[in-house]
Amino acid sequence: MGSYRIAVFASGTGSNFQSLVDAQASGVLGGEINLLVCDKPQAPVIQRAREAGVDMFVFQPKDYASREDYEREIALELQRRKIDLIVLAGYMRLLTSVLVEPYTGRMINIHPSLLPSFTGKNAIGQALEYGVKITGVTVHFVDQGMDTGPVIAQRAVEVVEGDDEASLTRRIQAVEKQLYPEVVSWFAAGKIRLIDRDVTMEI
Ligand code: GRF
């Protein structure tokens, strides 16, 4: 049996990408990060991929007539590499059916709130603004909506007295870095199944 092949999509800092790379290096990911897909040629995540020796597909959306056009190119690259799982890690674009349909049940995202609360951008700021006492992290399957796919795992993070965006972000990101590699390892071990909106996990 060949190894379980993962493509990570990211647009920015790439600290989640890094946690996946580190988990692979320490042998706990259960799969191989085969490709980074990045829509921002200047993003810091590119340097991380270079240092980790991960192949990259970097593109600029403005060079294409439509989202479908660049997604078709990405899809070819993913097929060529026989990618098993797409892991979105701060990829700041909605996806179309070109990628969502063939990878239904095999594409996941991490979001810094307890969904369905605080979808979209600046979820941590939205939670503080609202005044919730508990927020957290969600890993979910990707569909064509914004953070609307079936939930795979959630971890709660308490909002404490005096928290600001920076302090809460630090605690949320620390949880992300534990949870995401763990969830990816469940996929690599074949433990997660999606049937309609039902997510089941084999222990
Ligand atoms: C993370 O907080 C994640 O929850 C959200 O985007 C952020 C990406 O950060 N989807 P990074 O690029 O992994 O550092």
Side-chain angles (χ1 to χ4, degrees), residues 10 63 86 108 117 127 137 182:
D63 296 339
I86 299 177
I108 63 177
S117 293
V137 175
E182 197 182 346

Side-chain angles (χ1 to χ4, degrees), residues 24-90:
Q24 182 184 334
S26 48
V28 295
L29 195 65
E32 170 208 326
I33 302 170
N34 186 266
L35 182 71
L36 170 72
V37 174
C38 180
D39 60 328
K40 293 225 165 63
Q42 307 304 326
V45 68
I46 289 174
Q47 182 57 25
R48 294 181 191 268
R50 203 171 284 133
E51 277 166 24
V54 172
D55 289 352
M56 289 178 251
F57 180 90
V58 182
F59 68 101
Q60 300 215 66
K62 67 174 170 58
D63 296 339
Y64 296 82
S66 70
R67 268 198 292 172
E68 285 81 357
D69 278 356
Y70 64 72
E71 286 191 5
R72 267 188 283 274
E73 227 174 281
I74 295 170
L76 285 175
E77 190 62 31
L78 299 175
Q79 279 158 25
R80 200 172 65 73
R81 292 169 176 271
K82 300 192 167 43
I83 295 296
D84 296 299
L85 181 72
I86 299 177
V87 175
L88 305 186

Side-chain angles (χ1 to χ4, degrees), residues 67-68 70-72 88 91-109 115 119-120 140-150 194 196-197:
R67 268 198 292 172
E68 285 81 357
Y70 64 72
E71 286 191 5
R72 267 188 283 274
L88 305 186
Y91 181 68
M92 303 305 281
R93 293 185 178 276
L94 282 175
L95 294 154
T96 75
S97 59
V98 171
L99 281 174
V100 172
E101 267 168 26
Y103 289 92
T104 295
R106 299 191 296 144
M107 176 162 17
I108 63 177
N109 182 43
L115 291 172
T119 58
H140 63 93
F141 282 108
V142 175
D143 61 15
Q144 282 178 64
M146 170 95 79
D147 306 318
T148 50
L194 174 69
D196 301 323
R197 217 192 142 84

Side-chain angles (χ1 to χ4, degrees), residues 13-16 90 110-112 173 176:
T13 315
S15 62
N16 279 288
I110 190 158
H111 184 77
Q173 289 189 343
E176 288 186 339

Side-chain angles (χ1 to χ4, degrees), residues 18-29:
Q18 190 68 52
S19 73
L20 295 162
V21 164
D22 294 347
Q24 182 184 334
S26 48
V28 295
L29 195 65

Side-chain angles (χ1 to χ4, degrees), residues 18 65 85 93 99 110 116 118 130 167 171-172 179 191:
Q18 190 68 52
L85 181 72
R93 293 185 178 276
L99 281 174
I110 190 158
F118 313 125
Y130 194 91
S167 61
R171 293 206 310 290
I172 285 186
L179 183 61
K191 289 183 175 170

